[in-house]
Amino acid sequence: MVEHKTDSLDAIFHALADPTRRAMLESLSRDARSVGELAAPFDISLAAASKHIKVLERAGLVDRSVQGRTHLCRLNAGPMHAGMEWMRHYEKLWSARLDVLEDLLKAEDAAARAARRSTPKKPSPRS
């Protein structure tokens, strides 16, 4: 079961790693699009656009249906939840570690200020 979740996360992050695929998802977040409509903003062939869409489909981020000769793509944002949960776990971990570091630095600064106040000043030599 853990293996499947890891494979799923790998597919999601792999799909999101490419700027063309992210832009396609952005477009799909507004409405369903055909493969041609998804390819139009980019200098890529329909075959290349279809390859990008297949990566998004394998990650579960896009559902494709065929209506006649038109392949219509729709966003399925559900799988992104797993990626967000993974990032939240590490966000909590790093936030906790950074809070500890902040506390240590504040304590170090306070100790340095206290040391400066308790050190007697040397008289300056007058010429």
Side-chain angles (χ1 to χ4, degrees):
M1 185 75 159
V2 173
E3 193 74 27
H4 176 69
K5 190 173 186 176
T6 302
D7 291 345
S8 177
L9 281 175
D10 289 349
I12 291 165
F13 286 126
H14 172 72
L16 296 174
D18 184 87
T20 301
R21 291 191 288 267
R22 289 193 307 270
M24 288 178 167
L25 289 175
E26 174 67 29
S27 177
L28 291 171
S29 73
R30 292 185 293 278
D31 199 10
R33 305 268 192 252
S34 70
V35 173
E37 290 170 326
L38 287 172
F42 309 102
D43 188 24
I44 59 175
S45 66
L46 289 178
S50 188
K51 287 180 182 181
H52 280 294
I53 293 165
K54 284 179 186 173
V55 172
L56 294 168
E57 285 178 300
R58 278 194 296 274
L61 298 170
V62 167
D63 295 322
R64 188 187 325 205
S65 61
V66 180
Q67 297 175 351
R69 295 177 62 188
T70 303
H71 288 234
L72 196 60
C73 301
R74 287 183 176 21
L75 175 66
N76 178 12
M80 283 190 226
H81 180 72
M84 292 300 298
E85 286 300 312
W86 185 86
M87 287 187 283
R88 273 191 210 103
H89 168 76
Y90 287 97
E91 177 185 27
K92 289 177 192 173
L93 173 80
W94 283 108
S95 290
R97 289 182 178 190
L98 290 171
D99 288 345
V100 169
L101 177 61
E102 180 182 26
D103 292 343
L104 288 170
L105 292 173
K106 284 179 180 178
E108 187 177 276
D109 287 347
R113 282 192 301 274
R116 282 193 299 271
R117 284 190 298 256
S118 66
T119 304
K121 293 185 179 179
K122 296 180 183 177
S124 60
R126 296 182 189 229
S127 314

